[in-house]
Structure formats: structure tokens, C-alpha cells
Amino acid sequence: MRRGRSTPSPSRTDQARFDAIHRTGCVACRKQGRVTPAEIHHLTVGGRHGQKRRGHRYTIGLCAFHHR
């Protein structure tokens, strides 16, 4: 496990999910009819920044604009 991270390194299954998310692109942009590259965004328990991450299975793809 990496230091300073709230989730362990992704397993092969998790990495396959991340690869699929990268291929799909940003979900927010897709809803607007655009296709943009995505970053992996981990959902949190409270739904707010600074809360504990829910894990690698709770991830979505967001572009840099929507991620930050």
C-alpha cells in the first residue's frame, strides 16, 4: 500500500475497470454530447472533498475540468 493514500494499489480487475473508464471518457461531457478524455475520480463516503474514499470499485471518469 502506498503511503498517504486512502486506497491500496489497484488490483488487475480494478486496473481493467480504469482502462474501460479511460476508453469511455468523461461521463459529464458525454451527457452534454461531447467525448473527452477522462481521469479516474474516486467517490467518497460523504460525497465531499476530504471524506474517506469508498474504494476502487466506486469510480467514475471525469475530464480535468469536471474533476477539479
Side-chain angles (χ1 to χ4, degrees):
M1 186 157 116
R2 290 187 229 170
R3 295 185 70 183
R5 297 277 182 176
S6 58
T7 50
S9 296
S11 67
R12 286 184 180 164
T13 305
D14 296 329
Q15 189 58 52
R17 176 182 168 76
F18 295 166
D19 293 341
I21 289 171
H22 284 293
R23 285 191 305 272
T24 304
C26 175
V27 295
C29 287
R30 275 204 176 259
K31 190 170 181 177
Q32 298 170 351
R34 296 179 289 147
V35 179
T36 56
E39 300 174 350
I40 302 300
H41 172 69
H42 287 81
L43 302 175
T44 60
V45 174
R48 296 185 180 264
H49 178 74
Q51 299 293 320
K52 184 178 177 181
R53 288 180 176 186
R54 295 180 73 185
H56 292 308
R57 292 184 182 162
Y58 299 93
T59 52
I60 60 172
L62 294 175
C63 66
F65 177 80
H66 287 110
H67 197 195
R68 292 181 189 95

